[in-house]
C-alpha cells in the first residue's frame, strides 16, 4: 500500500477493470461511476488506484520491475495432465446404464465412483448428455451403429 492507497481485493480489482472498460477515458464523472460499482470505495480511491496502475505499467515497460519467469517444465506438466479423449467402451456404457438405473439421472458423481470407475463425474455427465440426445433422435435415420445402442438387455 503506497501513499495512502486503500487495500483492494481481487474481486474489487476485477470490478475496477470492468468499470475502466465501461466508462472509458473522457466519460464525465468517470471515477464516481466506477466507484458506484464498488460500495467500499470512493471516487478518490478509484482515481488513486488508476494512477498507481499507470505507474506500475510505466515501471514494467521501463524494465524497472522484473516479471516472473515461468518454468517450461511447469507448462509441460500441465499439458501432460490433460489426457486425450478416449471413446467409451461397450462395457463402460453398460456400467453407465446400470448406474443410471441405480442412481437416476443427474447423480453423475455416484455413477462415476461406484459404476464407471474408469471415468470422472464430468466425463459421465458429458456421456449422459450425448446419450440422451441420441435417444431423442429417430433411430431409423441412423446410418451407422453407435455405442449408445448398447443396452442392458
Amino acid at each position: 500500500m503506497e501513499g495512502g492507497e486503500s487495500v483492494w481485493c481481487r474481486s474489487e480489482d476485477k470490478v475496477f477493470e470492468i468499470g475502466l472498460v465501461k466508462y472509458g477515458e473522457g466519460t464525465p464523472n468517470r471515477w464516481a461511476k466506477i466507484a458506484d460499482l464498488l460500495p467500499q470505495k470512493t471516487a478518490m480511491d478509484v482515481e488513486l488506484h488508476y494512477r498507481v496502475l499507470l505507474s506500475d505499467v510505466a515501471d514494467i515497460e521501463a524494465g524497472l520491475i522484473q516479471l516472473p519467469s515461468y518454468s517450461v517444465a511447469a507448462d509441460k506438466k500441465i499439458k501432460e495432465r490433460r489426457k486425450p479423449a478416449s471413446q467409451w467402451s461397450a462395457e463402460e456404457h453398460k456400467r453407465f446404464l446400470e448406474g443410471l438405473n441405480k442412481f437416476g439421472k443427474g447423480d453423475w458423481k455416484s455413477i462415476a465412483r461406484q459404476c464407471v470407475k474408469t471415468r470422472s463425474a464430468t466425463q459421465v455427465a458429458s456421456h449422459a448428455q450425448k446419450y440422451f440426445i441420441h435417444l431423442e433422435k429417430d433411430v431409423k435415420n441412423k446410418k451407422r451403429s453407435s455405442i449408445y445402442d448398447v443396452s442392458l438387455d
Side-chain angles (χ1 to χ4, degrees), residues 23-79:
Y23 304 110
E25 288 185 45
T27 301
N29 301 315
R30 182 183 193 194
W31 308 127
K33 288 179 180 179
I34 295 172
D36 287 344
L37 303 173
L38 296 155
Q40 303 298 319
K41 305 295 178 185
T42 66
M44 189 181 298
D45 291 333
V46 172
E47 185 176 8
L48 179 59
H49 195 61
Y50 180 72
R51 296 199 185 289
V52 170
L53 174 67
L54 289 181
S55 174
D56 288 347
V57 170
D59 288 350
I60 291 168
E61 289 175 346
L64 300 174
I65 296 176
Q66 186 176 1
L67 296 176
S69 60
Y70 296 103
S71 151
V72 174
D75 289 344
K76 187 177 178 185
K77 281 183 181 179
I78 291 169
K79 288 178 184 173

Side-chain angles (χ1 to χ4, degrees), residues 97 100 129-139 148:
L97 293 174
L100 196 58
Q129 182 181 28
K130 293 170 191 167
Y131 172 68
F132 291 118
I133 288 170
H134 175 79
L135 288 180
E136 291 175 10
K137 288 182 181 177
D138 184 10
V139 179
Y148 304 115

